[in-house]
Amino acid sequence: MIEELLQDARRLEEEGLVGEAADRYLEAVKAAEKEGDKPSLGQVCLEAGLFYTRINLPEKALEFYRKSLEAFEATGNEEGVADAAYNLCVAHLELDEYEEAEKHGVRAIKIYRKIGLEEGVADAAYALGLVYAGRGELERGLKSLEEALRIYRKEGNEEGVSSVLLDIGEIYYRGGEADKAAEYYRKALKVAEEMGDKLSTAYLTRRIGDIYDEKGELRRMINSYLKAAYMYVEEGEREAAKELIDEVERRLWDLPKSTRRTVVKKLDEIRDAIERIEGVVGEEP
């Protein structure tokens, strides 16, 4: 009964029927509560919380993560407790509630270390790094992120490696260390390109362009923005592409006339590509 409800919830979510999926997840939670099956309740509540995290409702996710934690605690399931605590950390982080996030993150990482779950340690260290950085403890945050990076590399988790490198770059950028930020953006870019992750590649290319802009290297900034805009168009991210070409257009008159002609041609190509995509979207029933 419970598993059938969960399967139905997953299917509805995949089909984009978010409201119906939410109803099924709630039915599954109520069914587990009615049966008094604590191990099952912990897992069902955790899955419901993850669903609300995916649809960007962290407050609602917290409600289910707390229930999951209580159920796992009642059964002595240490890995379940760590999983629930980790997700509580992430949800509180999303809400900028750093003290609560740290409390749950520290609990999670201690348990993951105890039971020898390296990927769990990496995930919790990553989350804690963002918690510390978010409240201004940059050195502490970087130390935690470097631990996550080391484990992701060891485990061959390229997505984790790319993501952590990006966030380390963001921390250095916020701290005013543009050259250090660029170093990590380029490292992340290399991994993202190797994975074929075009959206991350576009974002990182744009961030490198931001650094060129800060340093007054206008041509390099524009080249980076144009490259990122092309990639965003290819991935159907029209608004992101438009934002970049609008910024390039705003800076056109700072360029020499000969360079300006080349850039205008590229801008026109990107606009044409966006119009073609919008035309296709507009034709959909």
Side-chain angles (χ1 to χ4, degrees):
M1 171 68 172
I2 296 172
E3 185 55 36
E4 289 175 3
L5 287 168
L6 286 175
Q7 288 178 1
D8 199 27
R10 295 171 196 136
R11 177 185 59 79
L12 289 165
E13 184 183 354
E14 287 177 2
E15 294 174 359
L17 302 172
V18 175
E20 291 88 338
D23 290 340
R24 291 295 183 280
Y25 280 117
L26 184 56
E27 287 176 35
V29 169
K30 288 181 177 178
E33 288 174 332
K34 186 176 180 180
E35 290 182 13
D37 183 351
K38 289 287 185 180
S40 179
L41 178 61
Q43 197 58 47
V44 172
C45 287
L46 184 62
E47 190 161 344
L50 291 169
F51 162 73
Y52 282 109
T53 295
R54 287 192 294 273
I55 63 172
N56 199 30
L57 290 175
E59 296 94 340
K60 193 70 177 175
L62 282 172
E63 174 187 333
F64 288 99
Y65 291 146
R66 291 189 188 106
K67 286 184 177 181
S68 176
L69 182 63
E70 291 172 5
F72 284 132
E73 286 173 335
T75 59
N77 183 335
E78 287 191 302
E79 185 175 341
V81 168
D83 289 344
Y86 163 72
N87 282 289
L88 279 164
C89 170
V90 172
H92 282 296
L93 174 61
E94 284 292 313
L95 296 167
D96 296 332
E97 296 170 354
Y98 298 120
E99 297 306 315
E100 284 295 306
E102 180 185 17
K103 178 180 75 176
H104 291 294
V106 167
R107 184 179 187 187
I109 202 168
K110 284 180 178 178
I111 297 172
Y112 285 136
R113 290 194 205 280
K114 177 184 173 184
I115 63 178
L117 192 58
E118 284 282 274
E119 281 279 353
V121 173
D123 291 343
Y126 189 177
L128 284 169
L130 297 178
V131 169
Y132 299 139
R135 67 185 187 195
E137 299 178 51
L138 300 188
E139 288 303 317
R140 194 177 181 189
L142 287 169
K143 183 178 179 181
S144 194
L145 290 173
E146 289 288 355
E147 179 181 11
L149 182 61
R150 176 182 58 78
I151 297 172
Y152 285 142
R153 279 177 169 154
K154 177 184 171 185
E155 298 293 320
N157 184 339
E158 291 186 330
E159 185 177 349
V161 168
S162 177
S163 187
V164 174
L165 287 169
L166 165 60
D167 279 313
I168 291 175
E170 300 281 51
I171 290 171
Y172 279 121
Y173 187 81
R174 291 201 302 272
E177 297 186 55
D179 288 338
K180 199 72 175 176
E183 175 189 336
Y184 279 90
Y185 288 150
R186 289 191 178 97
K187 288 179 180 179
L189 179 61
K190 182 180 178 184
V191 178
E193 287 175 336
E194 289 172 353
M195 290 192 301
D197 183 349
K198 291 187 178 179
L199 283 178
S200 292
T201 298
Y203 178 77
L204 286 158
T205 301
R206 185 250 168 88
R207 294 300 280 147
I208 291 168
D210 292 340
I211 290 174
Y212 285 137
D213 188 23
E214 281 198 3
K215 297 173 77 172
E217 298 183 39
L218 183 60
R219 291 190 188 184
R220 285 185 167 185
M221 179 274 274
I222 286 176
N223 284 338
S224 292
Y225 279 12
L226 290 173
K227 281 175 66 178
Y230 274 119
M231 286 184 273
Y232 278 131
V233 171
E234 288 175 354
E235 294 301 299
E237 296 289 331
R238 292 166 291 167
E239 293 306 314
K242 286 178 181 178
E243 180 184 337
L244 287 172
I245 62 175
D246 286 348
E247 180 59 23
V248 170
E249 188 171 50
R250 190 177 68 82
R251 307 291 292 277
L252 274 178
W253 298 105
D254 297 330
L255 293 169
K257 189 173 183 180
S258 58
T259 305
R260 194 159 62 237
R261 287 198 195 99
T262 302
V263 172
V264 167
K265 182 179 178 182
K266 291 180 179 178
L267 286 172
D268 288 342
E269 289 173 0
I270 296 171
R271 286 197 190 90
D272 288 345
I274 291 172
E275 288 175 6
R276 285 196 298 273
I277 291 172
E278 289 178 338
V280 170
V281 171
E283 291 171 6
E284 290 181 356

PDB file of all heavy atoms in Angstrom, residues 83-96:
ATOM      1  N   ASP A  83      20.872  10.973   7.566  1.00  0.00           N
ATOM      2  CA  ASP A  83      20.246  11.459   6.330  1.00  0.00           C
ATOM      3  C   ASP A  83      19.225  12.558   6.627  1.00  0.00           C
ATOM      4  O   ASP A  83      19.179  13.578   5.934  1.00  0.00           O
ATOM      5  CB  ASP A  83      19.574  10.312   5.588  1.00  0.00           C
ATOM      6  CG  ASP A  83      20.565   9.339   4.967  1.00  0.00           C
ATOM      7  OD1 ASP A  83      21.753   9.691   4.849  1.00  0.00           O
ATOM      8  OD2 ASP A  83      20.145   8.217   4.614  1.00  0.00           O
ATOM      9  N   ALA A  84      18.401  12.326   7.663  1.00  0.00           N
ATOM     10  CA  ALA A  84      17.395  13.328   8.018  1.00  0.00           C
ATOM     11  C   ALA A  84      18.060  14.602   8.526  1.00  0.00           C
ATOM     12  O   ALA A  84      17.658  15.716   8.158  1.00  0.00           O
ATOM     13  CB  ALA A  84      16.449  12.761   9.071  1.00  0.00           C
ATOM     14  N   ALA A  85      19.097  14.456   9.361  1.00  0.00           N
ATOM     15  CA  ALA A  85      19.805  15.619   9.897  1.00  0.00           C
ATOM     16  C   ALA A  85      20.476  16.409   8.778  1.00  0.00           C
ATOM     17  O   ALA A  85      20.437  17.649   8.760  1.00  0.00           O
ATOM     18  CB  ALA A  85      20.836  15.176  10.929  1.00  0.00           C
ATOM     19  N   TYR A  86      21.085  15.694   7.829  1.00  0.00           N
ATOM     20  CA  TYR A  86      21.726  16.376   6.690  1.00  0.00           C
ATOM     21  C   TYR A  86      20.705  17.202   5.909  1.00  0.00           C
ATOM     22  O   TYR A  86      20.964  18.361   5.559  1.00  0.00           O
ATOM     23  CB  TYR A  86      22.390  15.347   5.774  1.00  0.00           C
ATOM     24  CG  TYR A  86      22.702  15.901   4.406  1.00  0.00           C
ATOM     25  CD1 TYR A  86      23.728  16.820   4.221  1.00  0.00           C
ATOM     26  CD2 TYR A  86      21.934  15.538   3.295  1.00  0.00           C
ATOM     27  CE1 TYR A  86      23.999  17.353   2.968  1.00  0.00           C
ATOM     28  CE2 TYR A  86      22.203  16.070   2.037  1.00  0.00           C
ATOM     29  CZ  TYR A  86      23.233  16.969   1.886  1.00  0.00           C
ATOM     30  OH  TYR A  86      23.484  17.505   0.644  1.00  0.00           O
ATOM     31  N   ASN A  87      19.558  16.608   5.643  1.00  0.00           N
ATOM     32  CA  ASN A  87      18.553  17.337   4.863  1.00  0.00           C
ATOM     33  C   ASN A  87      17.932  18.484   5.661  1.00  0.00           C
ATOM     34  O   ASN A  87      17.550  19.506   5.070  1.00  0.00           O
ATOM     35  CB  ASN A  87      17.488  16.364   4.358  1.00  0.00           C
ATOM     36  CG  ASN A  87      17.970  15.575   3.153  1.00  0.00           C
ATOM     37  OD1 ASN A  87      18.119  16.122   2.062  1.00  0.00           O
ATOM     38  ND2 ASN A  87      18.255  14.297   3.347  1.00  0.00           N
ATOM     39  N   LEU A  88      17.859  18.339   6.979  1.00  0.00           N
ATOM     40  CA  LEU A  88      17.438  19.472   7.815  1.00  0.00           C
ATOM     41  C   LEU A  88      18.457  20.605   7.698  1.00  0.00           C
ATOM     42  O   LEU A  88      18.082  21.779   7.613  1.00  0.00           O
ATOM     43  CB  LEU A  88      17.300  19.034   9.273  1.00  0.00           C
ATOM     44  CG  LEU A  88      15.998  18.313   9.624  1.00  0.00           C
ATOM     45  CD1 LEU A  88      16.123  17.585  10.967  1.00  0.00           C
ATOM     46  CD2 LEU A  88      14.833  19.303   9.682  1.00  0.00           C
ATOM     47  N   CYS A  89      19.731  20.251   7.686  1.00  0.00           N
ATOM     48  CA  CYS A  89      20.792  21.245   7.517  1.00  0.00           C
ATOM     49  C   CYS A  89      20.597  22.009   6.205  1.00  0.00           C
ATOM     50  O   CYS A  89      20.628  23.248   6.182  1.00  0.00           O
ATOM     51  CB  CYS A  89      22.150  20.553   7.550  1.00  0.00           C
ATOM     52  SG  CYS A  89      23.550  21.598   7.077  1.00  0.00           S
ATOM     53  N   VAL A  90      20.378  21.281   5.120  1.00  0.00           N
ATOM     54  CA  VAL A  90      20.242  21.903   3.803  1.00  0.00           C
ATOM     55  C   VAL A  90      19.006  22.809   3.745  1.00  0.00           C
ATOM     56  O   VAL A  90      19.063  23.919   3.210  1.00  0.00           O
ATOM     57  CB  VAL A  90      20.170  20.828   2.707  1.00  0.00           C
ATOM     58  CG1 VAL A  90      19.841  21.451   1.350  1.00  0.00           C
ATOM     59  CG2 VAL A  90      21.493  20.064   2.624  1.00  0.00           C
ATOM     60  N   ALA A  91      17.901  22.336   4.318  1.00  0.00           N
ATOM     61  CA  ALA A  91      16.666  23.133   4.290  1.00  0.00           C
ATOM     62  C   ALA A  91      16.819  24.417   5.105  1.00  0.00           C
ATOM     63  O   ALA A  91      16.400  25.499   4.669  1.00  0.00           O
ATOM     64  CB  ALA A  91      15.499  22.297   4.819  1.00  0.00           C
ATOM     65  N   HIS A  92      17.432  24.320   6.286  1.00  0.00           N
ATOM     66  CA  HIS A  92      17.665  25.527   7.094  1.00  0.00           C
ATOM     67  C   HIS A  92      18.637  26.469   6.388  1.00  0.00           C
ATOM     68  O   HIS A  92      18.490  27.694   6.459  1.00  0.00           O
ATOM     69  CB  HIS A  92      18.203  25.147   8.474  1.00  0.00           C
ATOM     70  CG  HIS A  92      17.165  24.661   9.422  1.00  0.00           C
ATOM     71  ND1 HIS A  92      16.125  25.464   9.868  1.00  0.00           N
ATOM     72  CD2 HIS A  92      16.988  23.450  10.024  1.00  0.00           C
ATOM     73  CE1 HIS A  92      15.361  24.773  10.707  1.00  0.00           C
ATOM     74  NE2 HIS A  92      15.847  23.551  10.819  1.00  0.00           N
ATOM     75  N   LEU A  93      19.617  25.904   5.693  1.00  0.00           N
ATOM     76  CA  LEU A  93      20.550  26.725   4.927  1.00  0.00           C
ATOM     77  C   LEU A  93      19.818  27.511   3.855  1.00  0.00           C
ATOM     78  O   LEU A  93      20.091  28.703   3.641  1.00  0.00           O
ATOM     79  CB  LEU A  93      21.621  25.828   4.299  1.00  0.00           C
ATOM     80  CG  LEU A  93      22.624  26.486   3.345  1.00  0.00           C
ATOM     81  CD1 LEU A  93      23.432  27.568   4.058  1.00  0.00           C
ATOM     82  CD2 LEU A  93      23.559  25.432   2.753  1.00  0.00           C
ATOM     83  N   GLU A  94      18.881  26.862   3.171  1.00  0.00           N
ATOM     84  CA  GLU A  94      18.092  27.539   2.138  1.00  0.00           C
ATOM     85  C   GLU A  94      17.341  28.739   2.707  1.00  0.00           C
ATOM     86  O   GLU A  94      17.089  29.720   2.007  1.00  0.00           O
ATOM     87  CB  GLU A  94      17.086  26.562   1.516  1.00  0.00           C
ATOM     88  CG  GLU A  94      17.699  25.574   0.544  1.00  0.00           C
ATOM     89  CD  GLU A  94      18.192  26.244  -0.717  1.00  0.00           C
ATOM     90  OE1 GLU A  94      17.437  27.059  -1.299  1.00  0.00           O
ATOM     91  OE2 GLU A  94      19.337  25.984  -1.111  1.00  0.00           O
ATOM     92  N   LEU A  95      16.989  28.659   3.980  1.00  0.00           N
ATOM     93  CA  LEU A  95      16.239  29.732   4.641  1.00  0.00           C
ATOM     94  C   LEU A  95      17.153  30.705   5.380  1.00  0.00           C
ATOM     95  O   LEU A  95      16.665  31.565   6.127  1.00  0.00           O
ATOM     96  CB  LEU A  95      15.222  29.120   5.609  1.00  0.00           C
ATOM     97  CG  LEU A  95      14.124  28.265   4.959  1.00  0.00           C
ATOM     98  CD1 LEU A  95      13.371  27.467   6.018  1.00  0.00           C
ATOM     99  CD2 LEU A  95      13.159  29.138   4.165  1.00  0.00           C
ATOM    100  N   ASP A  96      18.469  30.556   5.192  1.00  0.00           N
ATOM    101  CA  ASP A  96      19.474  31.391   5.875  1.00  0.00           C
ATOM    102  C   ASP A  96      19.393  31.260   7.394  1.00  0.00           C
ATOM    103  O   ASP A  96      19.745  32.203   8.126  1.00  0.00           O
ATOM    104  CB  ASP A  96      19.330  32.869   5.475  1.00  0.00           C
ATOM    105  CG  ASP A  96      19.616  33.095   4.002  1.00  0.00           C
ATOM    106  OD1 ASP A  96      20.393  32.316   3.421  1.00  0.00           O
ATOM    107  OD2 ASP A  96      19.056  34.046   3.428  1.00  0.00           O
TER     108      ASP A  96
END
